[in-house]
């Protein structure tokens, strides 16, 4: 056993660091650091193009499709370094979700048409899974697609669509056989967001932001060539996709960055006339979460190591998701606690010249979502209980 | 020992509860919050008509004299109703300061104006570096009057107040000064708070007349008493929110079905709601304790009980608020249901008038002093 990264891995990490210093645009980095997402669409696309120019557009893709071909450890190191440097996240919907499905189950034409445009940032994808009545129980979804000649005609409603307002394409689960058992009659469709009959309605979240939408489909005609794989086999693809959604799900990079921010805030904020970081009560709280993050990091690496010997991510990903989200949520709580009463002043339209102060409360509220989406933490615990513990 | 309330006290609570339930729905409230002023003068006038603004004014001063218990019961209702009008700031906190400090003719004028709702006053005390930071605002006597200098941070409801009751260090201890909001040398920067209320950061460099100071001599004891009563009332407000958010969550768990069953049937969620219930009941007990301590004349045990309540209610606010959102799933994250609004008010409670940690420290110090 050797818990150190190999010299090659260390060299790789240094290369990533050097790249980030040289190529991450300062203005984008500043906006990420301040949590200002008002330019998110341009920033994410621009960053994707820069990564693409360097051959690093898709850390997790195989080389044959233009990916890096990196192993999981390198992907992990890349994620950590990007977060530490305040690089924007790469949205998962195209790169990590729909692309693996297209690679594995899509037609040759779909691969040629969609993958390059995901790689270079030309197409922004969003995920159309959840519906108002179908969240945790996704298989109960009702949005219908009926075959009409060369088209499917889609009717229904999707909910909680993240950043769909910027999207060019949406991948949807739709019901194509209402008579079959719930999991059997579902298909996986790729839909151009510009198709007539699609309407987006923004949903205001508790922090005042508009990052999710309801999507209404009113007789939306989708060419049959946009069906992935076989009709009514969509659930299989969806499950395959969920496995991929969970790579790097622990979010260690983000937690590390936020922990550094927390320490900075605790040095700057004062209580009883002294820096908060000198307060044993608060310092102990920081130490506690730091330890939890350390335990998660090592666990994450163990899972990566085990995966390298098997295949798709197993149910252990559930553990990483639960702990990762709990820790990031806890850090954001401590950031608000560090600010104390200063966190009360709040503008819904955060960003601009705002430093840590307006961001902390908004982030704390917004990050409640982490334990809800992507399969809620309760559902993840059910998976651990049923799949690992065989209860 | 008697945990019962009198019929009068109960009626007081019922009247405000009914009033808010019938006319202060989420949409109405959202419109008030979105408006330029951030409060509804009409609601304020109606609260005055119900007599609530004179609630904590002693009978000798022409008020209702409902005291800490009446204030607690009404505050539970204002919390449950998510009221954004300055009931707590003006009718509880500022009114108490005036009652304890103001003398003579001035006393009558101020209390009449506050009790009738004609005027709004707020206590401007905290300065932004924590609840327990030493006061840096100073008042120096200058000629006949005073020169008041310093800053105050996030003073709830200051933008709509007529008077600011500003605390400052003087030669002879702490003084409280009545300052007109619009006076020269008073610079208000209005801010919105995360729970949809209005507050202001205030920079002061003002010359005040001799009679601006409320009372004579060190006001520390009166101030502490007012603040403790204010915190006890704020705990009661949070308790009202806790009751509402728990009820809403249990109801949602009954109604929302996934996998063909109401989610409230899942044992994992039942246990979570059982824990929420217990947290709310602990919060209730500690709010009662703090209120009861405010009825006694012992500053040390009052301080201890009030800080203890602020901690336990603050912890319940955090846990129950988070669980409520989680159990609502995506819907809990939206601006649409009452959970998210309750959640934000509970978060604000944790941070206002001393954070949970600050009161944990104060409690520890008080308890240590007791043991010594
Ligand atoms: C900010 C945000 C962004 C999102 N982005 C997207 C997106 O881009 N695309 C998309 O398709 N979806 C998205 N979602 C939807 C998300 O996946 C769902 O919210 C999630 O699946 C939960 O479903 P629900 O909201 O319907 O909650 P429900 O399923 O109604 O769950 C309510 C509560 O019950 C619990 N629960 C449910 N079933 C069980 C059980 N069997 N055992 C124990 N507890 C249970 C849940 O954990 C939760 O606490 C997003 C959600 C949010 C909040």
């Amino acid at each position: 056993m050797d818990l150190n990264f190999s010299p090659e891995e260390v060299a790789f990490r240094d290369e990533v660091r050097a790249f980030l210093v040289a190529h991450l645009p300062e203005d984008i980095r500043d906006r990420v650091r301040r949590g200002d997402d008002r330019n998110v669409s341009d920033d994410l696309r621009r960053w994707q193009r820069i990564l693409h120019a360097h051959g690093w557009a898709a850390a997790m893709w195989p080389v044959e499709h233009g990916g890096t071909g990196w192993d999981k450890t390198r992907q992990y190191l890349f994620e950590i370094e990007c977060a530490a440097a305040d690089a924007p996240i790469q949205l998962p919907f195209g790169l990590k979700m729909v692309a693996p499905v297209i690679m594995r189950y899509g037609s040759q034409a779909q691969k040629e048409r969609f993958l390059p445009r995901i790689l270079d940032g030309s197409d922004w994808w969003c995920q159309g899974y959840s519906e108002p009545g179908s969240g945790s129980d996704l298989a109960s979804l009702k949005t219908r697609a009926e075959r009409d000649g060369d088209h499917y005609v889609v009717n229904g409603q999707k909910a909680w669509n993240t950043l769909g307002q910027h999207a060019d394409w949406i991948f949807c689960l739709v019901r194509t056989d209402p008579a079959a058992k719930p999991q059997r009659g579902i298909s996986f469709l790729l839909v151009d967001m510009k198709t007539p009959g699609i309407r987006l309605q923004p949903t205001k979240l508790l922090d005042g932001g508009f990052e999710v939408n309801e999507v209404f489909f009113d007789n939306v005609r989708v060419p049959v060539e946009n069906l992935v794989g076989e009709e009514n086999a969509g659930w299989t693809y969806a499950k395959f996709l969920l496995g991929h959604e969970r790579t790097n799900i622990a979010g260690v990079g983000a937690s590390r960055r936020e922990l550094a921010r927390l320490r900075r805030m605790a040095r700057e904020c004062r209580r009883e006339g002294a820096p908060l970081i000198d307060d044993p009560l608060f310092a102990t709280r920081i130490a506690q979460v730091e330890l939890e993050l350390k335990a998660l990091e090592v666990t994450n690496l163990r899972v990566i190591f085990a995966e390298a010997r098997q295949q798709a991510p197993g149910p252990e990903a559930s553990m990483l998701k639960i702990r990762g989200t709990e820790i990031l949520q806890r850090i954001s709580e401590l950031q608000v606690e560090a600010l104390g009463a200063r966190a009360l002043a709040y503008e819904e339209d955060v960003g601009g010249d705002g430093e840590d102060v307006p961001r902390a409360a908004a982030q704390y509220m917004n990050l409640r979502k982490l334990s809800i989406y992507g399969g809620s933490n309760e559902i993840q615990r059910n998976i651990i209980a049923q799949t690992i513990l065989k209860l | 020992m008697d945990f019962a309330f009198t019929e009068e006290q109960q009626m007081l609570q019922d009247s405000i509860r009914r009033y808010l339930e019938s006319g202060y729905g989420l949409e109405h409230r959202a419109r008030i919050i979105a408006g330029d002023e951030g409060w509804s003068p009409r609601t304020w006038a109606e609260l005055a008509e119900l007599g609530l603004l004179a609630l904590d004014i002693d009978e000798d001063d022409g008020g209702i004299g409902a005291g800490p218990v009446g204030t607690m019961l009404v505050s539970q209702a204002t919390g449950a109703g998510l009221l954004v009008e300055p009931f707590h700031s003006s009718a509880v906190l500022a009114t108490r300061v005036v009652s304890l400090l103001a003398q003579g003719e001035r006393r009558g004028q101020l209390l009449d104006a506050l009790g009738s709702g004609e005027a709004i006053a707020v206590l401007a005390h905290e300065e932004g570096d924590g609840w327990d930071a030493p006061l840096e605002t100073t008042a120096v006597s200058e000629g006949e009057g005073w020169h008041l200098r310093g800053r105050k941070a996030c003073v709830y409801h200051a933008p709509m107040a007529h008077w600011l009751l500003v605390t400052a260090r003087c030669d002879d201890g702490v003084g409280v000064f009545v300052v007109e909001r619009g006076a020269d040398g008073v610079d208000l920067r209005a801010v919105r708070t995360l729970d949809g209320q209005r507050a202001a950061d205030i920079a002061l460099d003002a010359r005040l007349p001799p009679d601006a100071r409320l009372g004579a001599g060190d006001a520390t004891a009166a101030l502490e008493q007012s603040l403790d009563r204010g915190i006890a009332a704020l705990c009661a407000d949070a308790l009202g929110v806790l009751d509402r958010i728990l009820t809403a969550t249990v109801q949602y768990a009954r109604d929302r079905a996934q996998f063909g069953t109401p989610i409230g049937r899942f044992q994992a969620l039942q246990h979570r709601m059982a824990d929420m219930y217990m947290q709310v009941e602990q919060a209730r007990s500690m709010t009662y304790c703090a209120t009861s301590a405010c009825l006694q004349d012992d500053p040390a045990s009052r301080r201890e009980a009030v800080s203890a309540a602020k901690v336990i209610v603050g912890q319940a606010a955090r846990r129950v608020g988070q669980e409520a959102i989680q159990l609502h799933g995506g819907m809990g994250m939206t601006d649409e249901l009452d959970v998210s609004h309750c959640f934000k008010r509970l978060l604000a409670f944790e941070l206002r008038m001393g954070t949970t940690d600050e009161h944990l420290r104060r409690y520890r110090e008080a308890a240590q002093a007791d043991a010594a």
Side-chain angles (χ1 to χ4, degrees):
Chain A
M1 191 169 88
D2 176 5
L3 296 189
N4 294 304
F5 289 115
S6 71
E8 296 77 36
E9 285 161 349
V10 171
F12 170 79
R13 188 185 63 196
D14 292 344
E15 187 191 347
V16 174
R17 272 187 199 165
F19 164 78
L20 287 163
V21 170
H23 295 286
L24 174 58
E26 196 135 336
D27 61 319
I28 294 185
R29 194 196 63 200
D30 280 355
R31 275 190 290 277
V32 171
R33 179 168 294 169
R34 290 198 313 263
D36 176 358
D37 60 6
R38 286 174 296 184
N39 205 33
V40 64
S41 171
D42 288 350
D43 285 354
L44 263 51
R45 287 178 200 255
R46 201 167 121 215
W47 179 231
Q48 185 64 24
R49 281 198 300 275
I50 293 170
L51 288 170
H52 182 54
H54 199 73
W56 288 0
M60 67 300 290
W61 289 16
V63 179
E64 56 166 312
H65 292 299
T68 61
W70 289 336
D71 61 17
K72 286 277 168 65
T73 311
R74 280 174 170 73
Q75 291 176 34
Y76 171 84
L77 289 170
F78 181 69
E79 188 235 13
I80 299 262
E81 293 305 323
C82 284
D86 287 312
I89 54 153
Q90 288 174 275
L91 277 189
F93 307 113
L95 282 165
K96 291 192 187 179
M97 295 184 177
V98 78
V101 172
I102 292 174
M103 283 176 207
R104 175 84 184 262
Y105 301 102
S107 66
Q108 191 53 35
Q110 285 169 344
K111 288 177 197 169
E112 283 166 16
R113 179 176 178 196
F114 293 114
L115 296 180
R117 294 179 62 81
I118 292 175
L119 204 60
D120 68 10
S122 306
D123 284 344
W124 180 305
W125 283 81
C126 64
Q127 179 184 33
Y129 273 24
S130 308
E131 298 182 7
S134 306
S136 298
D137 181 15
L138 187 57
S140 68
L141 63 91
K142 292 200 171 61
T143 296
R144 293 207 40 188
E146 279 159 308
R147 185 78 184 253
D148 176 25
D150 293 343
H151 286 80
Y152 287 102
V153 181
V154 182
N155 279 290
Q157 180 189 352
K158 294 289 175 183
W160 313 114
N161 179 258
T162 295
L163 296 176
Q165 65 266 46
H166 306 297
D168 306 295
W169 286 83
I170 181 170
F171 58 92
C172 289
L173 292 180
V174 292
R175 189 159 299 286
T176 31
D177 183 358
K181 281 194 175 151
Q183 277 87 342
R184 295 277 165 73
I186 292 171
S187 297
F188 195 103
L189 270 190
L190 311 176
V191 184
D192 187 337
M193 289 293 275
K194 286 187 294 294
T195 322
I198 296 185
R199 185 169 65 83
L200 254 65
Q201 188 171 305
T203 304
K204 187 177 182 185
L205 293 189
L206 79 171
D207 60 354
F210 290 97
E211 66 184 52
V212 296
N213 304 275
E214 290 180 277
V215 189
F216 297 90
F217 294 86
D218 180 16
N219 287 320
V220 174
R221 297 183 67 82
V222 181
V224 282
E225 72 228 35
N226 289 2
L227 173 76
V228 175
E230 286 170 36
E231 196 176 271
N232 296 329
W235 192 249
T236 312
Y237 317 146
K239 280 202 304 197
F240 171 81
L241 178 153
L242 281 177
H244 279 267
E245 184 181 358
R246 290 183 193 145
T247 54
N248 273 343
I249 200 164
V252 170
S255 280
R256 274 206 198 165
R257 184 189 61 213
E258 293 306 318
L259 194 56
R261 191 194 306 272
L262 169 62
R263 281 206 205 85
R264 191 166 79 227
M265 290 163 79
R267 277 194 301 274
E268 284 163 9
C269 294
R270 304 176 77 78
R271 292 291 190 289
E272 294 187 88
L276 183 58
I277 195 90
D278 296 340
D279 171 49
L281 180 60
F282 201 76
T284 309
R285 299 231 154 99
I286 296 182
Q288 172 72 38
V289 74
E290 201 177 308
L291 287 179
E292 290 177 24
L293 180 55
K294 182 74 194 162
L296 175 67
E297 275 187 70
V298 180
T299 309
N300 194 1
L301 289 167
R302 280 177 52 221
V303 171
I304 287 172
F305 181 84
E307 266 172 29
R309 273 147 187 75
Q310 297 149 20
Q311 281 172 351
E316 292 81 7
S318 294
M319 166 171 60
L320 301 180
K321 199 254 170 178
I322 295 169
R323 287 308 291 147
T325 56
E326 285 175 348
I327 288 169
L328 192 48
Q329 286 177 336
R330 179 68 188 139
I331 296 170
S332 81
E333 285 175 45
L334 289 171
Q335 289 179 349
V336 174
E337 287 175 28
L339 289 174
R342 285 167 66 192
L344 285 164
Y346 188 80
E347 288 301 329
E348 290 197 339
D349 189 10
V350 216
D353 52 359
E355 251 299 325
D356 290 333
V357 174
R359 190 175 178 280
Q363 175 160 289
Y364 164 70
M365 294 186 220
N366 185 269
L367 292 190
R368 302 314 310 161
K369 70 187 178 190
L370 297 178
S371 45
I372 296 170
Y373 68 19
S376 75
N377 283 11
E378 288 75 27
I379 297 298
Q380 307 297 337
R381 284 187 165 89
N382 287 348
I383 293 172
I384 291 177
Q386 286 157 17
T387 318
I388 303 182
L389 304 178
K390 311 256 187 302
L391 289 167
Chain B
M1 181 111 339
D2 183 2
F3 283 105
F5 304 112
T6 65
E7 212 169 301
E8 262 174 17
Q9 288 169 335
Q10 202 62 63
M11 267 164 52
L12 214 56
Q13 187 180 53
D14 291 347
S15 68
I16 170 84
R17 185 163 276 166
R18 266 198 309 274
Y19 168 72
L20 291 174
E21 275 170 7
S22 66
Y24 206 79
L26 278 187
E27 270 176 45
H28 177 68
R29 179 177 179 271
R31 272 197 302 279
I32 296 175
I33 290 175
D36 286 339
E37 306 300 329
W39 70 301
S40 156
R42 215 189 77 201
T43 299
W44 192 245
E46 284 165 0
L47 293 178
E49 252 169 63
L50 288 169
L52 294 176
L53 306 182
L55 183 79
D56 201 20
I57 297 174
D58 298 340
E59 278 171 301
D60 290 348
D61 290 312
I64 294 184
V69 176
T71 303
M72 174 184 86
L73 291 169
V74 170
S75 297
Q76 273 178 267
T78 59
L82 299 173
L83 184 81
V84 296
E85 280 65 27
F87 171 77
H88 179 265
S89 296
S90 188
V92 178
L93 201 49
T95 296
R96 191 62 359 223
V97 172
V98 171
S99 295
L100 289 174
L101 288 172
Q103 310 287 340
E105 209 179 313
R106 186 69 175 290
R107 177 187 182 85
Q109 283 168 356
L110 288 172
L111 288 178
D112 284 351
L114 293 179
S116 65
E118 226 169 85
I120 291 168
V122 299
L123 179 66
H125 178 56
E126 271 186 86
E127 300 181 342
D129 269 339
W131 174 251
D132 37 22
L135 267 187
E136 286 183 12
T137 301
T138 55
V140 179
S141 62
E142 199 180 74
E144 292 286 273
W146 299 92
H147 189 181
L148 183 69
R149 261 183 304 189
R151 48 184 60 249
K152 297 290 176 180
C154 200
V155 180
Y156 262 65
H157 300 115
M160 60 207 71
H162 302 87
W163 298 309
L164 313 172
L165 311 180
V166 180
T167 57
R169 255 184 317 116
C170 309
D171 279 346
D172 57 348
V174 174
V176 178
F177 295 83
V178 183
V179 185
E180 301 240 350
R181 186 198 52 190
D184 281 345
V186 179
D187 186 20
L188 247 74
R189 197 175 62 85
V191 295
R192 288 166 190 263
T193 63
L194 58 83
D195 59 337
Q197 309 211 42
R198 298 299 163 94
D201 290 329
I202 306 171
L204 297 149
D205 186 358
R207 321 263 158 186
L208 305 175
D211 65 353
R213 187 167 179 180
L214 277 185
D218 185 16
T220 301
L223 188 63
E224 270 204 14
Q225 190 186 340
S226 311
L227 289 168
D228 281 344
R229 281 181 70 160
I231 294 169
L234 206 58
C235 287
D237 185 284
L239 180 60
V241 188
L242 285 167
D243 280 328
R244 175 166 175 176
I245 204 172
L246 175 62
T247 308
T249 304
V250 171
Q251 192 57 49
Y252 191 80
R254 284 201 186 104
D255 296 342
R256 172 74 175 173
Q258 291 285 282
F259 305 99
T261 1
I263 59 171
R265 292 269 168 77
F266 298 127
Q267 202 168 54
L269 302 193
Q270 290 177 347
H271 287 186
R272 304 262 292 269
M273 284 180 273
D275 284 338
M276 290 165 75
Y277 165 79
M278 291 191 284
Q279 298 252 349
V280 176
E281 289 311 314
Q282 309 305 303
R284 192 180 326 277
S285 302
M286 296 306 274
T287 302
Y288 289 177
C289 267
T291 304
S292 161
C294 288
L295 289 163
Q296 318 298 316
D297 247 356
D298 175 13
S301 53
R302 187 192 65 223
R303 187 177 308 137
E304 198 176 308
V306 165
S307 281
K310 186 76 169 63
V311 171
I312 295 295
V313 182
Q315 289 170 346
R318 171 83 57 94
R319 298 273 296 280
V320 173
Q322 290 183 350
E323 290 286 64
I325 295 218
Q326 182 69 25
L327 298 182
H328 276 79
M331 283 311 292
M333 290 291 299
T334 69
D335 187 60
E336 203 176 305
L337 302 186
D338 50 359
V339 249
S340 66
H341 300 282
C342 291
F343 174 80
K344 290 192 269 190
R345 194 170 178 107
L346 290 171
L347 174 59
F349 168 78
E350 282 187 62
L351 301 169
R352 282 181 69 185
M353 300 191 80
T355 64
T356 304
D357 269 6
E358 285 169 307
H359 282 283
L360 189 54
R361 280 187 213 103
R362 194 171 86 139
Y363 174 81
R364 188 195 62 204
E365 281 155 22
Q368 273 167 357
D370 258 8

